[in-house]
Amino acid sequence: MSLRTLPILEIKGTPIERGRQQGEGACPQILRAIEHYREIIPKALNISWLDAIREARKFLPYGEEAFPQFVEEIRGIAEGAGVAFHEVWTLNCYEGLTEVRQQVWGCTCLAVRGEHTAAGHVLLAHNEDWNSIDRDDVYLVRAVPDDGPPFIGITYGPLLVNIGLNAEGIAVAINSVYPTDGRVGVPRILCSRAVLDARTIGQAIRACVPKLRAGGYSYLLADRHGELYCIETSATTHDIHYGEAGWLVHTNHYLSPRMQAVEEPGTYSSSHVRLNRARRLLGAQLGNVTAASLQAVLRDHVNYPNSICMHEDPDDPLYEREATLASLVMDLTDGIMWAAPGPPCQGEYTAHQL
Ligand SMILES: [Zn+2]
C-alpha cells in the first residue's frame, strides 16, 4: 500500500507575490474548496453563498486596518488561482460569519519543552480536525517573505497559512473555541497568520489579540527557548496561561474561568475526552518525549471516532463530517516539521526542514 503525503509549495517575496504563488500552486485545491463551500455554507450556516459574501465584506476594513499585508496576501491568492477576491476573502472569514453555531469542531494541540523530551528539544504537536470535505485540499507551504522570517506551515484551499513554525523558533497551533461575543471585526485567521511573522514570543502573544477582533481561537504558542503559552481569546476578552510545568495541552473548550464566562453552553464531551486523554498519554512519557512518541499520541483512538485521531462518522450529514485532515509535530530546536495527511493512523509522517 502506498501512503499519501502532503504536497508542499514554495513561496517567496512580497505579500502579493507570495499570495500569487500560493494561488497558482494550489489552484486545484482552491477551486475545489470554493465549489464545496458554495454548497456547504447554505446548509451549515443557513445563509446563501451571496449573503455570506455580503456579510464577509463587512470584515474587510477591519482586516485591512489591522493586517493590511495579509489581506494583500489573500488578494494574491485569488489572483494566482484566477478567482474572485471576495470568494477567497469569504472563506478566510468563514468561522466568523454567523452566530448560528455549527457543530463543535475539534483539534488537539500539545506543547512540551526540553526537560521533558529525550533530546532536550522543544516540540509542538497538532491534529487539524475539520470538515472532511477539505481532506484533499490540505497542503504545506514553505515561505521566504521579504517582510518577515521564513516559515513552514499548513493550510487548505484558499486560506492563509495559519499553523506552523518560523525561523525565529516560534510555533503556533490553534483550536476552535465557542464564545458568544462574536462580532464583525478582524478575522481570526489573520491573527494566526500574524503569529508566524513574530520574532519574539511577546510579539506572538500580541498578534493573537489585536483590537476589534471578530472572534478568537485558543492559540498554543511556543518558542525555541521553551517558553510555552496558551492564549485563550474571544472577540472581547482573552486570558494568558503560561506552561509552568513545561508542557501544555489544549482542545476546544476554554480552561480559564474568565473565558468560560463567555462560552456557549454545551458539554464539549469530545473536547474533554481528547484533552484528558492527551494529558494522560503525554504525562506518562514525560522525560522521554520524542517526535515519534507525540505522533503516537496523535494516532490515539480512545473514544473513536471522536478520538484524538478523529474519524468521520458516516451517519453525519456531509457538511458535518469531521476528521483529522492533517497531523503535525514541530521541532522548534531543529526547525523541522513532521507532517502527515489525516487521519494520521493511515498516513505517514514526513520530515520537512524549515
Ligand atoms: Zn485514526
Side-chain angles (χ1 to χ4, degrees):
M1 187 175 88
S2 79
L3 291 167
R4 296 181 301 132
T5 55
L6 292 170
I8 183 159
L9 284 182
E10 310 275 345
I11 65 174
K12 63 176 183 180
T14 63
I16 191 90
E17 289 167 351
R18 298 193 298 269
R20 283 182 191 134
Q21 292 156 18
Q22 184 178 338
E24 279 167 25
C27 186
Q29 290 95 328
I30 291 168
L31 296 180
R32 199 160 46 218
I34 290 175
E35 193 181 316
H36 285 152
Y37 278 83
R38 278 172 174 266
E39 208 183 301
I40 279 179
I41 279 182
K43 293 172 189 155
L45 304 185
N46 209 19
I47 53 173
S48 72
W49 174 244
L50 287 179
D51 282 343
I53 289 177
R54 198 171 300 132
E55 187 64 21
R57 277 178 192 269
K58 297 178 190 167
F59 293 68
L60 187 55
Y62 294 90
E64 286 187 316
E65 175 70 27
F67 298 115
Q69 68 278 40
F70 305 131
V71 176
E72 195 67 0
E73 213 168 86
I74 293 172
R75 284 188 198 284
I77 292 171
E79 278 182 36
V83 297
F85 165 75
H86 281 286
E87 295 196 310
V88 172
W89 176 252
T90 300
L91 293 199
N92 276 277
C93 293
Y94 180 76
E95 291 166 285
L97 280 183
T98 176
E99 287 173 22
V100 179
R101 198 184 77 179
Q102 47 176 347
Q103 79 176 83
V104 172
W105 297 100
C107 287
T108 303
C109 306
L110 307 89
V112 58
R113 72 170 170 236
E115 70 261 32
H116 296 308
T117 62
H121 289 194
V122 184
L123 303 172
L124 193 153
H126 174 81
N127 263 3
E128 175 68 13
D129 303 340
W130 192 248
N131 196 315
S132 63
I133 210 162
D134 287 316
R135 176 184 310 156
D136 296 330
D137 300 337
V138 183
Y139 53 99
L140 300 168
V141 174
R142 189 188 280 122
V144 183
D146 278 359
D147 53 351
F151 65 85
I152 184 167
I154 63 156
T155 189
Y156 31 101
L159 303 184
L160 290 173
V161 178
N162 56 83
I163 293 166
L165 161 68
N166 77 19
E168 299 287 353
I170 289 171
V172 56
I174 51 179
N175 291 127
S176 293
V177 282
Y178 297 92
T180 52
D181 60 352
R183 60 185 176 185
V184 172
V186 181
R188 61 200 83 176
I189 200 166
L190 299 181
C191 307
S192 49
R193 170 66 185 84
V195 174
L196 290 169
D197 242 23
R199 295 190 182 276
T200 64
I201 192 73
Q203 288 176 0
I205 293 169
R206 278 200 300 280
C208 304
V209 286
K211 286 179 185 159
L212 300 176
R213 56 191 185 275
Y217 291 125
S218 178
Y219 300 81
L220 197 59
L221 307 178
D223 78 2
R224 64 159 69 104
H225 307 292
E227 298 302 311
L228 311 179
Y229 283 91
C230 182
I231 319 296
E232 292 187 327
T233 73
S234 72
T236 60
T237 185
H238 72 277
D239 205 356
I240 299 177
H241 179 66
Y242 182 59
E244 198 137 8
W247 59 282
L248 283 173
V249 178
H250 203 281
T251 53
N252 304 100
H253 57 285
Y254 286 123
L255 302 177
S256 146
R258 185 198 301 172
M259 302 309 298
Q260 286 165 352
V262 297
E263 188 168 52
E264 176 95 21
T267 57
Y268 298 90
S269 62
S270 151
S271 181
H272 279 276
V273 169
R274 285 181 286 111
L275 179 80
N276 290 321
R277 183 73 187 156
R279 279 180 172 165
R280 184 176 160 202
L281 292 172
L282 182 61
Q285 49 174 269
L286 291 178
N288 299 298
V289 181
T290 62
S293 71
L294 287 176
Q295 289 163 11
V297 175
L298 295 175
R299 285 170 162 154
D300 188 70
H301 280 158
V302 165
N303 202 40
Y304 184 95
N306 299 312
S307 31
I308 294 174
C309 184
M310 181 85 66
H311 287 255
E312 60 183 355
D313 184 342
D315 291 339
D316 287 338
L318 197 60
Y319 58 93
E320 281 188 359
R321 279 185 204 167
E322 185 181 7
T324 300
L325 302 187
S327 183
L328 308 172
V329 178
M330 298 178 252
D331 181 328
L332 284 63
T333 310
D334 280 352
I336 290 173
M337 174 180 276
W338 296 86
C345 62
Q346 299 166 2
E348 186 177 18
Y349 289 87
T350 312
H352 300 271
Q353 187 76 43
L354 181 66

